[in-house]
């Protein structure tokens, strides 16, 4: 499918409505571009911005109720009959609750389904860790044959959904951050699954590799560091699988110090994926992993959690200065 151009006005609108509503907007505006598209929701039509799609495109929408495992079974069956299926519910239910169905039907049997995990990370921190999702990258990365995307803002969410539907492989898309969402991309760009993006290039003292909501905070930290004469570059690894090994090899050669930043447990997420790459490539880069602790500790308001675990621009800046 040819990439759809999006202007700055559209980018601002996508930022205002946030990643979850962007999902519904994208599907409503592009459903005619995909043959046999069908959307399955586990009682999250409002949460996923799908109310308009559900009402006007009702022939392409199935409400599965709060029965996520059944939803994945139905999705696999529809996929086997040639439908281009997208499923959505909150991230911990889309991944952990449905893990066996994902493993057997998508990983093993290779039926193609696009899965969207709403409110991943600690966006729903006020509801505690039943609704937070700090394990989903690690869990999904353990299942073969599934692409993993973590878009940085509204524009990239829009692009990710289109790319996943256009792909031949099953894809998990994790949506992070709150509404309105921070803008990373002020202009349209050619998004491609598996191709990382350089966001800032201020120098080679340190490389900040981030994904999802943390791309914006890494950008802001990079500017603060520059003011303090520390030159950094920021890369957006929106794709966790397939990994952009070519860009990674260039990063390993250019930077001695690498910092990964993610709204995910520091175990089995982006940082662990990069660490494994360093180890298997026999590189000698110093790696610092920033993220959430491998524990269920502080819950509460989203911004408070990020501040507590130093995952905002100020916290990232402090952590980088400390290792330097």
């Amino acid at each position: 499918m040819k990439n759809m151009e999006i202007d700055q006005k559209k980018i601002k609108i996508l930022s205002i409505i946030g990643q979850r509503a962007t999902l519904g907007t994208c599907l409503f505006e592009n459903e005619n571009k995909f043959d046999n598209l069908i959307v399955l929701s586990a009682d999250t039509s409002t949460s996923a911005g799908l109310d308009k799609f559900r009402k006007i495109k009702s022939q392409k929408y199935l409400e599965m109720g709060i029965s996520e495992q059944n939803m994945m079974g139905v999705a696999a069956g529809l996929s086997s009959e040639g439908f281009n299926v997208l499923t959505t519910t909150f991230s911990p239910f889309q991944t952990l609750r449905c893990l066996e169905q994902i493993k057997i039907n998508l990983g093993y049997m290779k039926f193609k389904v696009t899965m969207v995990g709403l409110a991943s990370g600690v966006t729903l921190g006020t509801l505690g860790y039943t609704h937070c999702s700090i394990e989903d990258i690690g869990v999904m990365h353990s299942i073969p044959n599934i692409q993993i995307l973590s878009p940085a803002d509204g524009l990239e969410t829009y692009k990710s959904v289109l790319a996943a539907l256009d792909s031949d492989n099953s894809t998990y898309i994790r949506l992070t951050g709150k509404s309105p969402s921070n803008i990373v991309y002020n202009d349209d760009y050619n998004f491609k699954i598996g191709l990382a993006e350089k966001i800032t290039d201020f120098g080679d003292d340190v490389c900040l590799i981030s994904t999802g909501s943390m791309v914006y905070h890494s950008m802001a930290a990079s500017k603060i560091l520059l003011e303090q004469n520390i030159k950094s570059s920021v890369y957006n690894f929106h794709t966790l699988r397939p990994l952009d090994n070519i860009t990674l090899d260039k990063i390993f050669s250019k930077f001695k110090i690498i910092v990964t930043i993610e709204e995910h447990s520091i175990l089995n997420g982006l940082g662990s994926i990069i660490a494994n790459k360093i180890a298997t490539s026999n590189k000698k880069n110093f790696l610092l992993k920033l993220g959430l602790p491998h524990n269920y500790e502080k819950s509460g308001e989203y911004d408070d959690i990020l501040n507590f675990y130093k995952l905002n621009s100020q916290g990232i800046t402090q952590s980088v200065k400390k290792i330097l």
Side-chain angles (χ1 to χ4, degrees):
M1 184 187 71
K2 184 178 179 180
N3 278 318
M4 176 182 179
E5 292 187 5
I6 300 178
D7 59 23
Q8 291 185 340
K9 181 180 178 181
K10 183 74 170 183
I11 290 172
K12 290 180 180 179
I13 292 173
L14 297 179
S15 170
I16 292 170
I17 64 177
Q19 288 192 338
R20 285 155 59 179
T22 293
L23 167 65
T25 299
C26 177
L27 291 171
F28 183 81
E29 293 177 348
N30 296 279
E31 53 84 20
N32 62 332
K33 296 182 175 67
F34 298 97
D35 294 334
N36 297 324
L37 172 69
I38 189 162
V39 177
L40 276 59
S41 168
D43 196 30
T44 53
S45 62
T46 300
S47 299
L50 288 167
D51 279 340
K52 187 176 180 180
F53 186 95
R54 175 177 60 85
K55 294 173 183 176
I56 299 178
K57 310 291 183 180
S58 58
Q59 74 280 9
K60 294 189 174 184
Y61 179 90
L62 286 177
E63 178 54 66
M64 305 305 297
I66 306 176
S67 55
E68 295 85 358
Q69 293 168 321
N70 180 58
M71 176 178 71
M72 294 310 300
V74 172
L78 289 168
S79 176
S80 73
E81 293 298 317
F83 286 93
N84 195 348
V85 188
L86 182 141
T87 64
T88 187
T89 183
F90 289 101
S91 179
F93 314 139
Q94 177 67 86
T95 54
L96 299 179
R97 186 169 293 174
C98 301
L99 187 57
E100 183 180 5
Q101 288 73 28
I102 293 170
K103 172 189 172 181
I104 302 302
N105 295 325
L106 279 56
Y108 183 34
M109 301 180 73
K110 299 182 182 179
F111 292 124
K112 186 251 174 151
V113 176
T114 298
M115 301 165 284
V116 182
L118 306 175
S120 188
V122 291
T123 309
L124 298 180
T126 53
L127 299 179
Y129 281 91
T130 56
H131 285 64
C132 292
S133 188
I134 64 171
E135 321 86 357
D136 53 333
I137 294 175
V139 167
M140 298 303 283
H141 200 263
S142 69
I143 306 297
N145 303 315
I146 297 176
Q147 300 175 142
I148 304 172
L149 305 181
S150 182
D153 63 2
L155 171 63
E156 203 162 70
T157 298
Y158 200 101
K159 297 275 188 175
S160 295
V161 172
L162 294 180
L165 289 172
D166 197 43
S167 170
D168 293 329
N169 302 309
S170 286
T171 305
Y172 170 59
I173 306 174
R174 75 185 309 250
L175 304 184
T176 52
K178 62 181 183 179
S179 301
S181 59
N182 295 311
I183 296 178
V184 172
Y185 295 98
N186 289 294
D187 297 297
D188 195 11
Y189 82 103
N190 186 24
F191 175 91
K192 185 177 180 180
I193 292 175
L195 185 62
E197 294 287 328
K198 183 188 289 184
I199 304 297
T200 66
D201 187 3
F202 295 144
D204 57 6
D205 290 338
V206 60
C207 180
L208 308 181
I209 298 178
S210 54
T211 190
S213 60
M214 291 296 106
V215 176
Y216 175 83
H217 295 291
S218 299
M219 287 171 49
S222 183
K223 294 175 182 177
I224 296 172
L225 289 168
L226 184 62
E227 293 172 355
Q228 301 178 24
N229 203 32
I230 298 174
K231 300 173 183 178
S232 63
S233 295
V234 176
Y235 285 80
N236 171 18
F237 271 70
H238 52 67
T239 304
L240 287 307
R241 181 198 281 148
L243 198 62
D244 186 348
N245 290 313
I246 294 175
T247 297
L248 264 184
D249 286 338
K250 293 178 180 178
I251 290 172
F252 293 157
S253 298
K254 183 177 180 180
F255 299 91
K256 292 183 179 179
I257 300 174
I258 297 171
V259 179
T260 58
I261 308 105
E262 59 192 311
E263 193 180 327
H264 186 276
S265 167
I266 56 172
L267 184 67
N268 294 332
L270 170 66
S272 294
I273 292 170
I274 302 301
N276 182 65
K277 180 63 177 176
I278 292 174
T280 56
S281 301
N282 293 316
K283 302 295 183 180
K284 296 182 179 180
N285 306 82
F286 176 86
L287 175 66
L288 173 67
K289 299 192 295 182
L290 300 182
L292 294 153
H294 185 57
N295 202 348
Y296 301 122
E297 295 183 354
K298 181 177 176 60
S299 59
E301 295 290 343
Y302 180 63
D303 289 335
D304 291 339
I305 297 176
L306 296 188
N307 180 64
F308 183 82
Y309 290 118
K310 297 185 177 181
L311 289 177
N312 51 19
S313 58
Q314 293 81 9
I316 295 168
T317 300
Q318 292 171 13
S319 298
V320 171
K321 289 176 65 177
K322 187 175 180 180
I323 63 169
L324 290 175

